[in-house]
Amino acid sequence: MDLQEFEAYYREEVAEILNQLQSVITLSNEVEGKASDIGRSIQSLSHVVETFITEQKQQT
């Protein structure tokens, strides 16, 4: 492998690694968004259940 081949190889590998890193960052952001959505859903469900339980206790 001569210097030009090595340089081309190096640049291609770095570009590929950076593309992979960008993909991981994008996926990480998506996972973080989904985790936040799930957290809000759990809080909302918990509120509904607590309200229902309180109402049921008051009726008895």
Side-chain angles (χ1 to χ4, degrees), residues 2-58:
D2 65 18
L3 182 57
Q4 288 178 335
E5 291 172 333
F6 181 75
E7 183 180 10
Y9 170 78
Y10 163 77
R11 292 181 189 278
E12 289 173 14
E13 289 298 311
V14 168
E16 178 61 27
I17 291 167
L18 290 172
N19 285 339
Q20 291 176 0
L21 179 59
Q22 184 61 45
S23 295
V24 168
I25 290 169
T26 299
L27 290 172
S28 175
N29 289 338
E30 290 177 18
V31 168
E32 185 178 345
K34 289 290 183 186
S36 293
D37 291 346
I38 291 168
R40 284 190 292 275
S41 294
I42 290 172
Q43 287 177 332
S44 177
L45 178 60
S46 178
H47 176 72
V48 168
V49 169
E50 291 296 327
T51 300
F52 177 78
I53 290 170
T54 300
E55 289 173 355
Q56 291 300 309
K57 286 181 179 179
Q58 290 174 353

